[in-house]
Amino acid sequence: MSPIVVTRRRTLPLLLDGAVTCAAWVVLAGLCLSEWQAIQPLAPAQAASNPLAVLEPVLQTLLAYLLAGSFDALLMTLWLRYRQSRARPRRAGAAPCDAARLAARFHVSGSQVCAVQGSRMAIIHHADGGGISGIVLEPDPLEAAPAAAAVHAGPRGIRPPAVLGHPADIRPFRLTHEADKA
Amino acid sequence: MQRLIALLILILMLGAPLGVALVLTSAFLLRFVFFYPLLMSGIWMAGGLLFWLRWERRWSWRPAPPPIPRDAPLVSILVPCHNEAPHVEETIAAALAQTYPRLEVVAIDDGSTDATLARLRDIARRKPALRIIHLAQNQGKAMALRMGAMAANSDTLVCIDGDALLDPDAVAYLCAPLFSHPRVGAVTGNPRIRTRSTLIGKVQVGEFSSIVGLIKRSQRIYGQVFTVSGVCAAFRRQALDEVGYWSLDMITEDIDISWLLQRADWSIFYEPRALCWILMPETLKGLWKQRLRWARGGAEVLLKNLDVLRRPRQWRLWLLMLEFCLSSGWAFALALSLALWVLTPWAGLPPAMEVEAFMPPSSAGLTLAWACLLQFLVSILIERRYEPHLARSLFWIIWYPFAFWAINFLTTLCSFPTVMLRIRRARARWTSPDRGIREIQP
């Protein structure tokens, strides 16, 4: 199935879009033609000796543009070679992002990070300042019956349905749930 | 202090074109207005072609399979959503339909007020690989991504928007550089426009291939990328953790994270084969709002990262900053040239500042127009294998030089002073964007 969305529109705006775009191309063609005519007076005098003389101004412009583009490309190639010649050594291994590091980064406990990572449905509450003020784990949507038992979530993997907190437990910057109490 | 610096930047940006006109005459200013887009167009074409000749044309593409390591590590796809009920189902379906074998999809519902959460729950009942994080209150995209990163079980995070459709091989292509190059902190994908119903939508098809694609390729040749595409990018968790994840107060979190990563010495790759189909505004109002946000985001990032100029170790970012400053300066130079042209007949300006004719001679205008078309042809040459019928949008690209340069010019004029005069430190929150036009009622 094509991902492209073409919404059905009224005919008039469609026609209008097409017409003004056609008109724009006609104007561009007209401008090109007028430029061409502007260089025509030179033609009779120069065409005899050199047929390409008529196109000289156009060719000059194109040549200048080509030269500028080539110069850009040359600079970029040289830069690329320089960059590759100075290939830096492998980056020193940064600290691994384990649960403890994530917990420190997001100002929650390690067990809370593990619990969220192990859940399939979690609700996160934030305080006004942006800090996490509460995490509620909901039952796995795959399970039909809601679970009520609190489960200490492990560090990895999809866990069984778990409820590790309730909105009533939410306090600013402090989460209370069974895993923490343990 | 930052407020003072911001004011100085604004004065410099407004004063520089005036100074140029005073010292070097308005004719020089007009030449800059004309030649700067031409110069950049040349650089983008050269960079795009070089990228293609050197690397891209040798890269395998369909029907060859995407690169998937034998012991493929787990990858987490983070999908922050806010009021995405109409789109989230197909977004999640596309994310789950990846050819990459080990995936979890973490959808972060950021306090949606529509049926997004209900839809997500419904999908999660059927698809075990989908996990849901629901933020009780709307916190903004950056916070949603942060929470998704915290909840993710893998060290490779692919971040997409709640209305984006990943191509089946996109994750494999996005993650391959992260697996094979330890210096790479992020890989940005290749957004393709889905909404093509109005003239604005059709022109953006050309814009994303001929401008965005070529700029990204050129910046990869240079070695530094101005921004990853927020709609489709992969990150190494270590790199994100090192820079403190996404900033909460930046209006464009994607530009900000790109600069944070590169300042921390992480590389950013561009992977054009990682296609991601996106919805874009199809009305002038929607386009204006989006471009204004981009322009504001760029100005904010400029202000935030000005100190790279004091750090010789980060000299590679100087050129990116220069390019952004010149682009913003170009808008002010164009505005000043227009003002001088209007004032010339009756204001008694100094002769050096008079602008008799604002419009360039037709030959100059034609050169610009043909440069723009040539740029589009180059992009078709490069990108046709990703989108075989791209050439069809050539018909509509004639509007690009007028419509989009004009809108970029106006958004820069509006956003730059706003950002510099009012340093925002509030949290960036979601707004409802224009996601294409609605079907007409029969």
Side-chain angles (χ1 to χ4, degrees):
Chain A
M1 193 184 78
S2 168
I4 293 168
V5 179
V6 182
T7 315
R8 201 157 57 88
R9 295 176 64 206
R10 292 184 197 284
T11 315
L12 187 64
L14 269 177
L15 285 175
L16 203 65
D17 284 356
V20 290
T21 307
C22 282
W25 280 105
V26 169
V27 169
L28 182 66
L31 279 172
C32 291
L33 201 65
S34 68
E35 274 301 297
W36 176 258
Q37 282 167 348
I39 58 172
Q40 283 304 302
L42 301 173
Q46 296 177 354
S49 57
N50 183 2
L52 280 179
V54 180
L55 292 172
E56 203 177 306
V58 179
L59 289 174
Q60 273 176 355
T61 308
L62 281 177
L63 189 66
Y65 199 67
L66 198 67
L67 280 175
S70 306
F71 183 67
D72 287 343
L74 180 70
L75 276 184
M76 284 188 170
T77 310
L78 290 175
W79 173 256
L80 185 66
R81 289 205 176 277
Y82 164 77
R83 209 162 56 79
Q84 286 178 334
S85 71
R86 282 174 53 91
R88 284 169 287 180
R90 281 179 157 229
R91 197 185 163 85
C97 289
D98 53 10
R101 193 171 166 82
L102 278 176
R105 173 69 71 190
F106 293 105
H107 307 291
V108 289
S109 70
S111 58
Q112 285 165 336
V113 169
C114 292
V116 172
Q117 287 184 339
S119 76
R120 285 200 63 218
M121 172 78 206
I123 301 172
I124 301 180
H125 294 259
H126 286 86
D128 288 343
I132 295 172
S133 61
I135 299 174
V136 181
L137 301 191
E138 284 203 350
D140 188 330
L142 278 175
E143 302 288 330
V151 177
H152 183 110
R156 283 285 182 271
I158 305 298
R159 289 274 148 189
V163 179
L164 297 184
H166 304 279
D169 293 327
I170 296 163
R171 294 174 200 158
F173 301 100
R174 174 79 187 111
L175 309 183
T176 55
H177 59 59
E178 282 72 8
D180 272 359
K181 283 173 190 167
Chain B
M1 184 62 183
Q2 199 185 18
R3 194 169 286 276
L4 189 67
I5 292 171
L7 200 63
L8 279 174
I9 294 172
L10 183 62
I11 291 169
L12 199 68
M13 203 56 89
L14 292 172
L18 197 64
V20 167
L22 269 170
V23 177
L24 300 171
T25 75
S26 56
F28 187 88
L29 194 70
L30 274 174
R31 268 186 221 126
F32 170 70
V33 168
F34 167 68
F35 280 111
Y36 180 70
L38 202 61
L39 172 79
M40 293 316 294
S41 167
I43 289 175
W44 295 335
M45 276 191 276
L49 280 171
L50 203 57
F51 185 92
W52 180 67
L53 286 168
R54 188 160 178 90
W55 294 306
E56 197 173 350
R57 74 191 170 99
R58 297 196 193 100
W59 290 349
S60 63
W61 180 241
R62 287 169 192 156
I68 298 172
R70 192 167 296 166
D71 51 344
L74 180 70
V75 169
S76 303
I77 303 180
L78 310 186
V79 191
C81 324
H82 175 70
N83 292 346
E84 294 288 2
H87 309 112
V88 76
E89 189 139 7
E90 57 180 358
T91 297
I92 300 292
L96 290 168
Q98 292 295 299
T99 50
Y100 190 87
R102 289 195 66 208
L103 280 176
E104 65 167 2
V105 177
V106 183
I108 309 105
D109 172 46
D110 188 15
S112 294
T113 51
D114 65 356
T116 302
L117 185 60
R119 297 262 162 93
L120 287 172
R121 282 180 199 271
D122 187 45
I123 305 167
R125 268 184 220 114
R126 289 176 274 125
K127 306 282 183 185
L130 173 65
R131 298 171 53 210
I132 305 168
I133 303 293
H134 172 61
L135 307 189
Q137 300 92 24
N138 174 227
Q139 299 291 329
K141 186 179 175 185
M143 181 64 93
L145 286 168
R146 286 168 74 99
M147 293 300 101
M150 182 179 78
N153 282 301
S154 82
D155 286 332
T156 307
L157 312 176
V158 173
C159 304
I160 60 168
D161 278 2
D163 58 355
L165 294 189
L166 281 172
D167 210 56
D169 298 332
V171 168
Y173 283 119
L174 273 176
C175 297
L178 291 170
F179 297 151
S180 55
H181 296 82
R183 292 200 66 81
V184 175
V187 181
T188 178
N190 186 356
R192 316 297 309 180
I193 309 293
R194 294 180 65 197
T195 35
R196 304 178 179 192
S197 306
T198 69
L199 192 54
I200 287 174
K202 287 165 186 163
V203 175
Q204 285 177 102
V205 178
E207 182 196 21
F208 266 71
S209 55
S210 77
I211 304 288
V212 178
L214 290 185
I215 290 176
K216 288 263 189 333
R217 286 177 176 88
S218 307
Q219 289 177 344
R220 256 326 295 162
I221 291 280
Y222 173 61
Q224 307 286 317
V225 174
F226 184 78
T227 179
V228 297
S229 298
V231 68
C232 170
F235 296 92
R236 188 187 298 279
R237 185 199 282 277
Q238 270 181 337
L240 286 173
D241 191 72
E242 193 181 315
V243 302
Y245 296 89
W246 293 269
S247 307
L248 298 175
D249 58 351
M250 302 302 285
I251 199 166
T252 46
E253 82 299 327
D254 46 0
I255 308 180
D256 180 62
I257 196 74
S258 310
W259 279 74
L260 286 173
L261 289 172
Q262 290 176 121
R263 290 191 65 168
D265 224 13
W266 290 97
S267 291
I268 296 180
F269 270 21
Y270 172 56
E271 176 47 89
R273 292 170 295 177
L275 306 183
C276 181
W277 298 89
I278 62 171
L279 300 176
M280 291 292 277
E282 284 208 277
T283 61
L284 208 54
K285 189 181 164 195
L287 186 73
W288 171 259
K289 275 170 70 177
Q290 183 198 51
R291 298 304 156 108
L292 196 63
R293 192 176 72 83
W294 289 2
R296 276 186 189 157
E300 278 185 1
V301 171
L302 166 77
L303 191 59
K304 184 179 173 182
N305 291 285
L306 257 188
D307 60 322
V308 297
L309 298 175
R310 287 191 285 113
R311 297 172 202 270
R313 219 175 66 81
Q314 293 177 338
W315 62 273
R316 285 160 191 265
L317 289 165
W318 292 357
L319 209 58
L320 282 188
M321 192 155 274
L322 176 72
E323 198 265 328
F324 180 78
C325 290
L326 282 176
S327 297
S328 304
W330 176 84
F332 287 104
L334 180 57
L336 181 68
S337 306
L338 262 171
L340 291 177
W341 176 60
V342 171
L343 290 173
T344 294
W346 54 274
L349 294 171
M353 291 184 73
E354 285 182 355
V355 176
E356 300 291 347
F358 175 71
M359 293 301 284
S362 64
S363 57
L366 275 177
T367 310
L368 259 182
W370 283 111
C372 186
L373 291 177
L374 187 63
Q375 192 176 321
F376 194 67
L377 287 174
V378 167
S379 75
I380 288 176
L381 169 77
I382 296 172
E383 302 235 4
R384 68 194 158 152
R385 68 172 176 169
Y386 309 124
E387 210 184 320
H389 304 302
L390 189 61
R392 285 180 194 168
S393 48
L394 180 65
F395 175 66
W396 306 100
I397 200 68
I398 185 97
W399 291 113
Y400 185 81
F402 309 104
F404 280 77
W405 288 359
I407 208 163
N408 288 341
F409 156 67
L410 291 172
T411 52
T412 302
L413 286 191
C414 293
S415 64
F416 209 87
T418 313
V419 170
M420 297 301 157
L421 290 173
R422 194 185 61 193
I423 298 171
R424 215 176 41 84
R425 278 290 168 262
R427 187 97 61 81
R429 308 270 180 169
W430 297 87
T431 53
S432 294
D434 174 357
R435 292 311 180 17
I437 56 168
R438 290 196 182 133
E439 188 107 17
I440 54 167
Q441 297 303 316

